[in-house]
Amino acid sequence: HLAHLFWSFATLGIIDKRLLDALAAEAIRKIFEFNPQELSNTAWACAKLGYVNEPLLKAVARAAMARIDDMVPRDFANIAWSFAKIGFVDVPLMKAVADRVVQQAGEFNPQDLANTAWAVANLRMRDARLMNSVSTCAIARTSEFEGSDFSTTAWAFSVLDVAYEPLREAIATEVMRKLDSLGPQQLGTLVDLRLGACQSVAEAALQAIVLRFASRVPRSSSDFRCGLYERLVQDLDVDNFGSWGDRVLLDALGVRQGLPEFNDKAQRLVLAYNQQHLKTWWRSESLVHQRVVSYAEINVSLPSGQVLLCDERYQQNGFHGWRAQEEWILPTT
């Protein structure tokens, strides 16, 4: 079945745009034959692969609305998470999902609660009824939380600036009990949120992981080129340690904080960059992207004053289409 193919490609990480486009065209033609799980699996595969095909996403949304009465909590959570992951907004569907979450929140497991809250926060939906329902059910089930359930739920409520002190306290208490189950990225999120009771132990745990990571960072260009750093990141399964953890890493690597003049300059340049890139090839009224842009200046010189490398670079989060070739700044010996 088409949905199974999408799911398989996403699980294996197979990205072949021509093949995906052909599957999407056929899926659109047969979308109303998909059952709720197949619809949610298709949406999940698009999110996992970063495959943004707006006609397919719109078709999934229409079919999901038609099958809304047949959906179970996992379907609601998966579709909401998947659409939010790639920034696709279908207001009627999200309103319908919100209504069902309010009605059925007690039937959601911790991961589904967390994913739903994350999706709502990522799309900046403000629905007090929904978040109150999620909060009430989450407090009752924090003892069942594992790993990213803690960080995802806490982050969602923080982003929406929703009053959730009882939930914060419940999460902090449970984090103390299950600290060893948290990965570095989850710890990084929780440390940045400053939940109170668990702050010092979470910082200590994250710092130990970051320093071990720093000690294994390759020190030569040949080690970088042979893939040691890539394998290190893959082994840890992390793309950042949060603001606090990243600062620990940069300090360990001897990278100083930017001077105020540089920070001011970077802020101006990033604002200008955002204005110049308001639209991308995949942005439309239905596709939104929470852009995060980093700016860096690279200046590598020898003690003699000879400049080996001088450049600037913008790095934007998210998927921006297939590139003809890789674009890397290689380390210089």
Side-chain angles (χ1 to χ4, degrees):
H1 194 280
L2 293 167
H4 297 157
L5 287 173
F6 272 116
W7 180 87
S8 299
F9 291 158
T11 301
L12 296 172
I14 297 173
I15 300 178
D16 184 315
K17 191 172 186 301
R18 288 190 304 169
L19 179 57
L20 290 172
D21 285 346
L23 283 174
E26 187 66 11
I28 292 169
R29 194 171 68 84
K30 297 182 176 180
I31 200 68
F32 288 97
E33 299 174 17
F34 284 33
N35 64 37
Q37 183 176 351
E38 290 165 344
L39 290 170
S40 67
N41 283 351
T42 301
W44 176 85
C46 290
K48 185 73 173 176
L49 292 171
Y51 175 61
V52 183
N53 184 310
E54 192 172 356
L56 174 60
L57 297 173
K58 287 182 175 179
V60 170
R62 289 195 302 271
M65 282 292 290
R67 303 295 295 269
I68 198 82
D69 291 333
D70 301 323
M71 290 188 174
V72 298
R74 175 55 56 89
D75 299 325
F76 294 129
N78 280 352
I79 288 179
W81 179 90
S82 301
F83 281 3
K85 183 72 173 176
I86 48 182
F88 177 72
V89 181
D90 185 282
V91 175
L93 177 60
M94 291 306 296
K95 285 184 176 179
V97 168
D99 288 340
R100 297 309 171 102
V101 173
V102 170
Q103 296 166 15
Q104 304 175 26
E107 301 172 25
F108 281 57
N109 64 34
Q111 183 180 1
D112 293 338
L113 286 171
N115 285 347
T116 302
W118 182 90
V120 170
N122 205 52
L123 294 175
R124 301 305 190 267
M125 287 177 58
R126 296 194 176 274
D127 189 317
R129 290 183 316 136
L130 184 148
M131 297 308 286
N132 286 337
S133 296
V134 170
S135 178
T136 299
C137 293
I139 290 172
R141 305 188 69 168
T142 48
S143 63
E144 302 172 37
F145 275 31
E146 297 289 344
S148 62
D149 299 337
F150 296 107
S151 54
T152 300
T153 304
W155 177 86
F157 279 82
S158 175
V159 164
L160 291 176
D161 196 23
V162 176
Y164 70 115
E165 196 57 36
L167 179 57
R168 280 173 59 96
E169 293 175 0
I171 289 175
T173 299
E174 200 62 26
V175 164
M176 298 277 284
R177 294 182 58 245
K178 296 182 177 177
L179 194 65
D180 292 341
S181 73
L182 297 172
Q185 197 153 335
Q186 297 150 10
L187 284 169
T189 298
L190 291 169
V191 166
D192 286 348
L193 292 175
R194 306 194 67 81
L195 295 182
C198 67
Q199 187 69 21
S200 60
V201 293
E203 286 182 358
L206 179 60
Q207 184 177 42
I209 293 172
V210 172
L211 293 180
R212 284 199 301 273
F213 178 89
S215 70
R216 295 174 58 194
V217 171
R219 295 298 194 263
S220 70
S221 59
S222 59
D223 284 342
F224 265 98
R225 291 190 178 103
C226 74
L228 284 182
Y229 183 74
E230 182 180 359
R231 290 195 292 275
L232 173 60
V233 173
Q234 289 174 343
D235 288 345
L236 201 58
D237 192 25
V238 66
D239 62 14
N240 72 84
F241 296 108
S243 297
W244 187 91
D246 282 351
R247 188 64 256 165
V248 172
L249 175 62
L250 293 172
D251 287 343
L253 296 176
V255 180
R256 294 174 297 178
Q257 286 188 311
L259 298 173
E261 310 87 77
F262 172 79
N263 294 338
D264 291 341
K265 175 184 177 182
Q267 275 193 324
R268 292 195 304 272
L269 291 173
V270 165
L271 285 173
Y273 178 95
N274 279 330
Q275 287 299 315
Q276 294 167 8
H277 297 80
L278 285 175
K279 293 185 179 295
T280 66
W281 69 271
W282 55 274
R283 179 187 288 269
S284 73
E285 290 182 356
S286 299
L287 288 166
V288 298
H289 177 45
Q290 302 296 330
R291 179 183 283 118
V292 178
V293 177
S294 302
Y295 171 77
E297 290 181 356
I298 302 96
N299 193 320
V300 181
S301 305
L302 294 176
S304 63
Q306 179 187 355
V307 177
L308 298 176
L309 177 65
C310 184
D311 203 353
E312 63 180 21
R313 181 177 178 84
Y314 294 90
Q315 181 67 41
Q316 182 177 330
N317 67 319
F319 176 75
H320 308 289
W322 283 264
R323 295 179 178 179
Q325 60 185 9
E326 294 181 335
E327 299 173 355
W328 301 105
I329 294 180
L330 295 176
T332 304
T333 50

